[in-house]
Amino acid sequence: MVKKGRVFSGARPTGRQHLGNYLGAIKNYVTLQDDYDCVYSIVDLHALTTLEDTAHLREWTYEMALDWLAAGMDPGRGTIVFVQSHVPQVTELHTILSMVTPLGKLTRLPTFKEKVREQPDNVNYGLVGYPVLMCADITLYKANAVPVGVDQASHLEFTREIVRTFNHHFGPVLVEPQAVYTETPRVLGIDGVNKMSKSLDNHIEIASSPEEIYERVRMMVTDPQRQRRGDPGRPEVCNVFSLHQVFTPQETVQQIDSDCRTAGIGCVDCKKMFAKNLADYFAPFRERRARLAENPDEVWEVLHRGAEKAGVIASQVIDEVKGAVGLP
Ligand code: TRP
């Protein structure tokens, strides 16, 4: 089948992936394989900009790769899954692109300002260049489409500007990518307030066993006004309910909606149902993951083969870029 073009996306190695990562990114990465040539990168160099302690990088890269592969990102279908630093041409392109990037634009980006607030003692040079490295990631593979969350909108717009500037100066070499925003509403953590994130420890890992899933689901905050079993609930403000809408069949969701409003079921019943549906949904995933984990060397091998394939494209593009710029 003729594909619509090339997709590139990247994510920092954060270890075992959670429901937010899955619904916000991974699920979409898998689906896109039907229509696009896909290149998916574990961006370990980007991770260095915010990490003081790099001791977990290797383990987190491996755990994330396991989740990605088990979820269906499939090198057997031509998808390239690799580790960013294994294809060093990206750092070359980053340097070249940095020469057409106005510094003021980088330091004015809201994402940069936020990092400065978050880590005032580690405002490193790489942090400023983070969006340039991201632009290098995408353009090194001449990707047409980049699936990202809306939080990355300013970075994508920035990439498009750099591409236009570069092509204006040096000729039409780089491809201006389209952002493809995922439709999933933001997934809240078990606290029911904040976005699900590992750093807030409010997450549910997709690789969790059914028991571990239930442990986490039990802790989920529901409608705060529903204090006693007999109080009627409001599904529209309940995080468990919003996830039921993703993992539970539609008829059952409607039943839960009315049973909750009339206090026909309590939060404990509702959570048990949710935990079971969640565990069932990820059962085939857990099996595939366990099988892959039997042979860690083979997982690294898959990543290395991915880097080799990525490297073929990267070498061509970097040669083109150098030629266009006029490097001898
Ligand atoms: N900046 C992205 C994030 O924090 C990760 C990323 C790096 C990325 N390079 C990319 C995403 C290229 C899309 C395309 O989520």
Side-chain angles (χ1 to χ4, degrees):
M1 195 197 72
V2 179
K3 299 280 172 96
K4 290 184 192 162
R6 183 174 287 144
V7 152
F8 181 97
S9 197
R12 280 169 289 159
T14 49
R16 292 184 171 221
Q17 301 291 284
H18 55 64
L19 276 185
N21 304 132
Y22 180 77
L23 296 175
I26 299 171
K27 198 169 174 226
N28 195 33
Y29 290 173
V30 172
T31 309
L32 284 165
Q33 296 176 115
D34 295 339
D35 295 322
Y36 292 88
D37 288 320
C38 295
V39 183
Y40 296 129
S41 180
I42 299 178
V43 294
D44 53 348
L45 293 169
H46 274 106
L48 293 180
T49 60
T50 55
L51 287 183
E52 272 163 36
D53 175 9
T54 60
H56 293 295
L57 262 186
R58 191 180 160 82
E59 177 201 337
W60 287 356
T61 298
Y62 170 75
E63 292 287 342
M64 185 154 146
L66 269 183
D67 281 344
W68 277 14
L69 297 170
M73 290 154 71
D74 184 2
R77 297 174 64 189
T79 299
I80 298 177
V81 180
F82 74 107
V83 177
Q84 184 185 33
S85 67
H86 293 175
V87 183
Q89 289 90 336
V90 75
T91 61
E92 263 183 295
L93 185 54
H94 166 266
T95 300
I96 294 171
L97 294 176
S98 75
M99 311 303 173
V100 295
T101 306
L103 183 57
K105 255 196 187 124
L106 289 172
T107 52
R108 276 194 301 271
L109 279 176
T111 43
F112 174 70
K113 290 184 182 165
E114 194 186 316
K115 286 294 176 218
V116 172
R117 272 194 300 275
E118 276 172 23
Q119 50 184 60
D121 299 331
N122 183 18
V123 183
N124 57 72
Y125 178 55
L127 199 55
V128 186
Y130 186 106
V132 186
L133 184 56
M134 195 165 151
C135 177
D137 275 332
I138 298 166
T139 54
L140 188 57
Y141 302 99
K142 296 196 172 180
N144 318 92
V146 182
V148 279
V150 280
D151 62 312
Q152 295 295 312
S154 66
H155 286 161
L156 249 291
E157 203 33 62
F158 181 86
T159 287
R160 292 162 56 89
E161 276 176 42
I162 302 295
V163 169
R164 289 196 292 266
T165 308
F166 182 94
N167 287 350
H168 177 74
H169 280 293
F170 303 116
V173 173
L174 301 179
V175 172
E176 191 176 327
Q178 292 289 330
V180 186
Y181 298 110
T182 28
E183 280 163 39
T184 340
R186 67 190 212 130
V187 180
L188 297 183
I190 59 174
D191 54 19
V193 179
N194 298 297
K195 188 174 155 184
M196 186 175 283
S197 96
K198 176 170 170 158
S199 54
L200 294 175
D201 192 23
N202 66 1
H203 61 309
I204 300 176
E205 292 175 351
I206 59 176
S208 304
S209 66
E211 295 72 31
E212 289 164 337
I213 289 177
Y214 185 58
E215 264 312 295
R216 294 299 267 181
V217 170
R218 230 162 44 96
M219 291 159 65
M220 285 178 78
V221 174
T222 58
D223 176 0
Q225 278 180 28
R226 195 172 185 197
Q227 302 272 351
R228 279 173 295 266
R229 170 66 180 81
D231 295 343
R234 298 169 301 164
E236 67 276 10
V237 300
C238 177
N239 191 29
V240 177
F241 184 75
S242 68
L243 286 170
H244 262 303
Q245 289 174 310
V246 183
F247 294 102
T248 299
Q250 201 44 48
E251 317 84 71
T252 318
V253 171
Q254 273 155 18
Q255 189 65 45
I256 292 169
D257 185 289
S258 59
D259 287 350
C260 172
R261 287 179 201 286
T262 57
I265 55 165
C267 292
V268 175
D269 309 313
C270 178
K271 285 177 172 180
K272 277 190 179 145
M273 252 190 284
F274 172 60
K276 173 161 190 334
N277 291 347
L278 191 59
D280 286 351
Y281 179 93
F282 283 106
F285 163 84
R286 281 194 303 277
E287 260 176 50
R288 285 193 297 271
R289 194 182 198 281
R291 237 178 294 130
L292 288 165
E294 283 169 12
N295 199 346
D297 289 348
E298 177 52 28
V299 173
W300 285 109
E301 224 5 83
V302 169
L303 292 173
H304 284 123
R305 284 198 293 271
E308 262 169 41
K309 283 182 78 176
V312 173
I313 307 170
S315 299
Q316 275 168 10
V317 176
I318 200 75
D319 282 352
E320 240 181 284
V321 165
K322 285 178 174 174
V325 170
L327 292 170

